Every structure is written in structure tokens, then in C-alpha cells.
Amino acid sequence: GIEAHFSPDFSLPIQLEEVTDSTNTLARQAANHVQEATAFMAYSQRAGVGRLNRPWQSPMGKSLSLSLLLPDFPKDLPVYLLSQITAASLCQSLDPYLDNLGIKWPNDLIANQRKIAGILPIFDQDETGRSYVILGIGLNLFQDLEDFPKDLQDKAGSLKMAVGFEIDIDQLLAKLIEDLVRAIQAFKDRQDGQAFLAICREKSLLIGKEVLSYEGDKPARQVKVLDIASNGGLKVKDLKSGQEEVLLSSEISIRTQ
Ligand code: BT5
């Protein structure tokens, strides 16, 4: 199971629930009265969400649902950069266990062509106008293929599927949260962002590829991915116009057919 025993030298209040609708909701409810960074975790979510309100599967005891509430977050820090820093930090924590871990911009962690984790950062304001961030992370731990709904069975995976040996999950989660809080602190202090972006570049599954970019309701277009930009966006070249630009919110499909 994912009974978590966190290292005593590391103090971050953690509220752990057996089951909840969404840890993001727990964090949002707490945002008005909680003053310090707090982690909300659950063994299972009834209504986990991804971007654009897409459902996120978090079956009982098989996955980690984590929402970090970060109060008093500077308003001018770009949310897409926070996504990248989070992805880089998760990569650092998971790398010792996985040979071929990659990042699919903007927020997917992929192992063996299967999505094992998703990231959802939300900037919001409390009742007094102070801005906060909720950093939602869903990590698949113990699922087997048949634990995923049919439509995800060719693209979702878990640590268990990717690693092939027993993991000390308590140790992993403690490390993961510790790395993450450190990364976020560095981001908040405006240090070290470029070091994390270097990891995003190194682990990028998109750089150098010709892919399809979906932006809102606009028709998909073919672009070549050039780089992860220093603001966390995706630097691409439009294959039709030849023009270079930085995408900030877009869905990327690696399949170009
Ligand atoms: C994400 O969205 O990848 C962000 C997921 C964030 C989930 C965390 S869990 C803690 C916190 N509480 C919440 O309620 N949410 C956050 P997106 O890129 O939109 O990907 C969603 C898509 O991934 C879905 O439409 C499915 O296709 C697929 N998917 C759903 N569940 C999955 C899973 N467990 N593993 C892999 N893929 C999944």
C-alpha cells in the first residue's frame, strides 16, 4: 500500500485522506485559512481532474494523488514555467528507478511510451486577494494494464509496469515531495529555473520531432519542436509558414498522421 512515513527532518504538513473527490478541492477549501505550504494526499479520488476538466483516474490504493497548496505565491511567476519545474523535479526523483523516463511538454511524464504522471498547476486568489498556487500531481503507482479504462490501455502506465522490481514507495514519496518543495522554493526565489529547464530539455520527448499542435478550437497544424523556451513554453517552427514561435498552451500530438 501507499502508507506514507515521511522523514522526520522534513516538515511539511500532510493531510492524507482515504478517499476524496479531488485533492485539488481539499487544497482550494484550505486556501482561505491555511498560511503555510501544505500537502493534500489521497489514496483514491472519486472525481480527479486533469486539464480542461478531463477526468483523471485515481483508483483506490493504486495511485498517488497529491495537491500542494502554496500560499502567498508571487503573481508574476508564469504557471507554465512551474509545470516544467515540477516535471523536471519529478524526473529527478523517479530517474533512479526508471531507465527511459521522458517529459512530454507541457505536463506528462512518460515511461515506455506510457503516461505515468500528470501535472496540473492552478493559480488562484483567496478571499482577501492573496494569490496562491495549487500544484496537482497524479502519479500511477501500482496499476496493471487492466486497471485502466479501455481507452487508456494503450497509453497509460504505472511505476509498477515500468520498473519491474519492488519499490520502497514510502521512501520514494518522501524523496519526491522533498525534491518538489525544494524545486518550488528555488522557483519562488527566482533561482535555478534554468537548471530545471535543462532537465526538461534533456528529458524532452518532443525536441527535434515534427508533431501536431492543437491550440483551442483552431485546426491542428504541423510544427517542428525546436526547444523548451526559457519561460517554460514550447519553441516551435510552423512547417507551413516557416515561422518560429513559443507555444504557451497547446496540446501536442506526436502522431502526425
Ligand atoms: C493531467 O491532465 O495530466 C493532470 C492530471 C492531474 C491529476 C492530479 S491528481 C491530484 C490532483 N487532484 C486532481 O483532481 N487532479 C490533480 P491532462 O494532461 O489533461 O490529462 C488528462 C488525460 O490523461 C485524460 O483525458 C486521459 O486521457 C488521461 N488519463 C486519465 N487518467 C489517467 C491516468 N491515471 N494515467 C494516465 N493517463 C490518464
Side-chain angles (χ1 to χ4, degrees):
I2 51 174
E3 200 65 49
H5 307 286
F6 292 93
S7 52
D9 58 333
F10 184 70
S11 70
L12 172 80
I14 295 173
Q15 186 183 322
L16 180 62
E17 301 283 333
E18 187 86 6
V19 55
T20 191
D21 285 343
S22 160
T23 53
N24 276 358
T25 310
L26 295 178
R28 195 172 298 118
Q29 284 162 352
N32 283 313
H33 56 269
V34 170
Q35 314 296 337
E36 56 185 339
T38 306
F40 298 85
M41 288 171 59
Y43 291 132
S44 161
Q45 299 182 118
R46 292 185 208 93
V49 286
R51 290 178 298 158
L52 309 170
N53 268 325
R54 290 184 286 225
W56 179 260
Q57 307 293 330
S58 17
M60 178 55 85
K62 306 257 174 177
S63 68
L64 169 72
S65 302
L66 166 67
S67 294
L68 275 182
L69 170 64
L70 307 165
D72 278 325
F73 214 81
K75 276 197 182 90
D76 60 326
L77 288 173
V79 67
Y80 27 89
L81 190 52
L82 180 60
S83 263
Q84 298 314 299
I85 284 166
T86 304
S89 170
L90 292 180
C91 258
Q92 272 186 318
S93 325
L94 296 175
D95 225 23
Y97 303 90
L98 294 165
D99 290 334
N100 49 2
L101 184 63
I103 302 173
K104 178 170 174 270
W105 184 94
N107 70 341
D108 294 355
L109 254 60
I110 310 278
N112 303 331
Q113 275 124 53
R114 294 175 176 278
K115 177 164 171 174
I116 61 163
I119 301 164
L120 179 69
I122 298 168
F123 271 67
D124 209 340
Q125 289 190 351
D126 70 12
E127 287 158 358
T128 64
R130 274 184 315 187
S131 53
Y132 64 86
V133 164
I134 296 170
L135 183 58
I137 295 168
L139 173 63
N140 297 329
L141 297 172
F142 299 118
Q143 287 99 329
D144 294 307
L145 207 50
E146 55 274 18
D147 291 318
F148 293 105
K150 278 264 174 327
D151 61 320
L152 293 185
Q153 288 188 357
D154 62 340
K155 50 187 180 194
S158 67
L159 274 184
K160 181 185 170 197
M161 286 165 64
V163 174
F165 58 87
E166 284 281 320
I167 310 173
D168 182 335
I169 219 75
D170 294 339
Q171 203 185 331
L172 167 69
L173 295 185
K175 176 83 167 56
L176 186 144
I177 293 184
E178 195 175 332
D179 286 350
L180 197 57
V181 171
R182 198 175 296 127
I184 290 163
Q185 193 56 49
F187 175 59
K188 237 176 128 176
D189 295 343
R190 291 153 210 265
Q191 302 162 355
D192 230 15
Q194 296 309 314
F196 289 104
L197 284 176
I199 297 175
C200 292
R201 292 189 181 107
E202 186 195 323
K203 292 286 181 189
S204 173
L205 296 173
L206 300 183
I207 293 175
K209 292 219 169 84
E210 293 182 1
V211 300
L212 283 177
S213 170
Y214 296 85
E215 294 135 46
D217 293 337
K218 288 195 269 178
R221 55 191 180 122
Q222 258 195 301
V223 298
K224 178 161 185 178
V225 180
L226 304 176
D227 199 3
I228 307 296
S230 55
N231 68 357
L234 190 70
K235 191 171 175 198
V236 300
K237 178 177 173 177
D238 187 303
L239 286 179
K240 217 163 167 189
S241 69
Q243 230 159 38
E244 291 184 9
E245 62 189 287
V246 173
L247 303 175
L248 294 179
S249 71
S250 162
E251 294 286 324
I252 301 296
S253 167
I254 299 183
R255 295 182 187 106
T256 48
Q257 264 16 278

